[in-house]
Amino acid sequence: MRTKIVAGNWKMNNEKTETSSLIYALNSQGDFGSTRVIIAPSYVHLAQAVSLTVDTEIEVAAQNMHEATSGAYTGEVSPAMLSSIGIQTVILGHSERRAYFGENDATLAKKVTNALDHDMDVIFCFGEELEDRKSGNHFEVVKSQISNTLFELKSAAWSKIVLAYEPVWAIGTGETASPEQAQEMHAFIRNLVQEQYNGSLANQVSILYGGSVKPGNAQEIFSKQDVDGGLIGGAALSAADFTTIIKSI
Ligand code: PGA
């Protein structure tokens, strides 16, 4: 059975006390069953988040990392630094990183490799723009993002990869892909992985949906066969909403 995952990407939100209050509130919600629950606060609060979630069901992830192991990269954070404070998962390829910070497939392939070299799990994000969907190119765009970045990996590396389909037009816009659109794309992605690798590997990889998932639509989206959970932005900033979404699985 595939692992169900709900991950909250806090983006550039929450100061120190808000970070601890939100974590306390999530911890008090208790039992998330077999669902893997991940939060991704900003770099400056990661160590604090790790210590507040010791012995809880909540895991802490980073929102990004640099592709090099160390060196003269002012302002950047390496995978070794993250693992040294207990971070075992990193989100890579978020559309905001691609759009505002110029991350492309080549950079992301290096980041993925370096994260894996540090034994980290990767939540790899990708998704089409509105124009791609309008022009019917969405499958091609998603295919090239995944294949350019991940298809050089050895099969064994895929146990550390989680895929997150995030149509850019649905992120922070209040607009979601319909459950049918999400399922159609997720099935397409699973099939791509099957063609490149094999059926059992494709069956094992968790594919998350992201883009305006809210308490009111989570259950319907998560009910789809190839949707294994969600990557949540705005709604992850409220303990009540995030918990409702987790429990919708
Ligand atoms: P959203 O963000 O839930 O606010 O649309 C999703 C994301 O960016 O991962």
Side-chain angles (χ1 to χ4, degrees):
M1 218 178 75
R2 285 192 292 275
T3 310
K4 303 281 185 192
I5 302 171
V6 177
N9 174 8
W10 293 8
K11 308 190 181 183
M12 199 174 71
N13 293 295
N14 288 339
E15 295 172 13
K16 188 176 177 187
T17 47
E18 293 159 338
T19 297
S20 40
S21 311
L22 184 46
I23 293 174
Y24 285 133
L26 289 173
N27 281 341
S28 72
Q29 300 296 324
D31 192 4
F32 299 128
S34 58
T35 303
R36 196 172 157 196
V37 175
I38 302 173
I39 54 169
S42 84
Y43 284 140
V44 282
H45 302 311
L46 286 177
Q48 176 194 2
V50 168
S51 75
L52 292 175
T53 53
V54 170
D55 294 331
T56 74
E57 294 172 274
I58 299 171
E59 292 172 49
V60 181
Q63 297 174 18
N64 179 38
M65 51 158 244
H66 194 266
E67 61 270 31
T69 303
S70 64
Y73 300 102
T74 302
E76 291 294 322
V77 170
S78 75
M81 291 172 183
L82 295 172
S83 4
S84 74
I85 58 160
I87 300 295
Q88 286 162 1
T89 304
V90 62
I91 298 171
L92 293 176
H94 192 280
S95 64
E96 287 148 19
R97 299 292 321 166
R98 294 176 191 259
Y100 308 143
F101 303 98
E103 294 195 3
N104 57 28
D105 294 345
T107 322
L108 289 168
K110 288 187 201 150
K111 290 191 180 205
V112 170
T113 306
N114 203 13
L116 296 174
D117 285 347
H118 286 81
D119 209 26
M120 296 175 80
D121 290 351
V122 172
I123 300 176
F124 180 71
C125 308
F126 51 86
E128 81 281 1
E129 312 259 349
L130 186 56
E131 306 80 72
D132 301 320
R133 186 160 275 269
K134 282 191 175 150
S135 60
N137 277 340
H138 44 300
F139 292 117
E140 272 316 301
V141 168
V142 163
K143 181 178 178 180
S144 75
Q145 288 172 328
I146 294 176
S147 60
N148 291 344
T149 312
L150 302 180
F151 279 1
E152 295 288 315
L153 296 176
K154 300 248 174 8
S155 304
W158 278 78
S159 63
K160 309 288 286 175
I161 302 286
V162 172
L163 300 176
Y165 169 55
E166 299 208 302
V168 179
W169 47 272
I171 295 179
T173 58
E175 207 165 312
T176 9
S178 68
E180 292 69 31
Q181 285 173 321
Q183 168 56 29
E184 182 186 38
M185 183 58 88
H186 285 221
F188 171 79
I189 294 162
R190 205 175 297 289
N191 191 51
L192 276 182
V193 177
Q194 170 162 354
E195 280 172 8
Q196 179 70 17
Y197 294 90
N198 58 63
S200 80
L201 190 155
N203 235 337
Q204 287 299 316
V205 65
S206 297
I207 309 178
L208 314 185
Y209 169 80
S212 300
V213 177
K214 307 278 180 230
N217 60 22
Q219 193 159 17
E220 220 192 328
I221 297 172
F222 295 166
S223 70
K224 293 294 174 190
Q225 196 188 337
D226 287 293
V227 178
D228 305 308
L231 180 54
I232 320 300
L237 298 173
S238 147
D241 287 356
F242 191 55
T243 304
T244 306
I245 292 171
I246 296 164
K247 295 189 173 172
S248 305
I249 288 221

